[in-house]
């Protein structure tokens, strides 16, 4: 049971750290991309930050042929965060399976108690207590794994959904910025002619 707990803690911490560093890098890099007028392309980015990659893809390719930018963002979000989504789902699975394993231990402990009662006319209280202890400890262990895992799951999901909303807003912002930039270049070209 403690292996499940260790895995849940690992997945929660790894996912949180990943989201923290992705967001920190995004907040640092995105404003620089908006100010970068030296490059000929709007939102040219060669890094690996998935949030910036989603905004870049929306601006450079998907927005040209899609009326529904939100659907495109949902698709890109799934593609760029596939590993994180899988890890968060495993965290949810651990939070669901742990109490069930605790319940199984509870049932096995109670079976031990009833077997002891059935085998002995005057059962020893120590033997009964051992079965009851087994039942209670497995329940406690299951809940000690499930409760923090479930809390971590919902915390990460709320953070993840917040990122999705932010990317929609930043995508619209980047599209407007790039369209203004194109109009400015066209009007500059018209002035030269």
């Amino acid at each position: 049971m403690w292996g499940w707990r260790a895995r849940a803690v690992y997945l929660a911490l790894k996912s949180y750290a990943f989201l923290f560093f992705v967001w920190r890098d995004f907040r640092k890099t995105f404003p620089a991309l908006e100010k970068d007028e030296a490059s000929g392309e709007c939102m040219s980015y060669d890094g690996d930050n998935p949030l910036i990659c989603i905004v870049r893809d929306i601006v450079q390719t998907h927005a040209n042929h899609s009326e529904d930018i939100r659907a495109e963002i949902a698709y890109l979000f799934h593609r760029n965060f596939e590993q994180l989504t899988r890890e968060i789902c495993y965290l949810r699975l651990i939070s669901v399976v742990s109490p069930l394993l605790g319940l199984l231990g509870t049932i096995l402990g109670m079976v031990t108690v009833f077997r002891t009662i059935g085998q002995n006319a005057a059962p020893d209280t120590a033997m009964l207590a051992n079965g009851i202890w087994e039942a209670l400890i497995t329940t406690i262990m299951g809940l000690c794994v499930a409760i923090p895992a479930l809390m971590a799951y919902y915390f990460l999901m709320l953070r993840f959904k917040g990122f999705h909303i932010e990317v929609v807003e930043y995508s619209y912002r980047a599209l407007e910025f790039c369209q203004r930039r194109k109009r400015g270049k066209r009007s500059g070209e018209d002035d030269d002619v």
Side-chain angles (χ1 to χ4, degrees), residues 97-146:
V97 170
S98 297
L100 295 175
L101 290 174
L103 178 63
L104 178 63
T106 301
I107 292 170
L108 292 175
M110 294 311 293
V111 165
T112 303
V113 169
F114 288 122
R115 185 179 59 217
T116 303
I117 292 171
Q119 289 175 347
N120 301 315
D124 182 25
T125 56
M127 294 172 73
L128 293 175
N130 191 27
I132 294 171
W133 179 84
E134 181 182 330
L136 293 176
I137 199 68
T138 56
T139 303
I140 291 169
M141 288 173 57
L143 291 175
C144 284
V145 171

Side-chain angles (χ1 to χ4, degrees), residues 26 38 45 52 68 71 73 89 97 124-125 151-152 186 189 193:
F26 179 79
Y45 175 73
I52 296 174
D68 189 10
I73 290 171
C89 285
V97 170
D124 182 25
T125 56
M151 289 172 58
R186 276 192 232 133
E189 290 172 2
V193 175

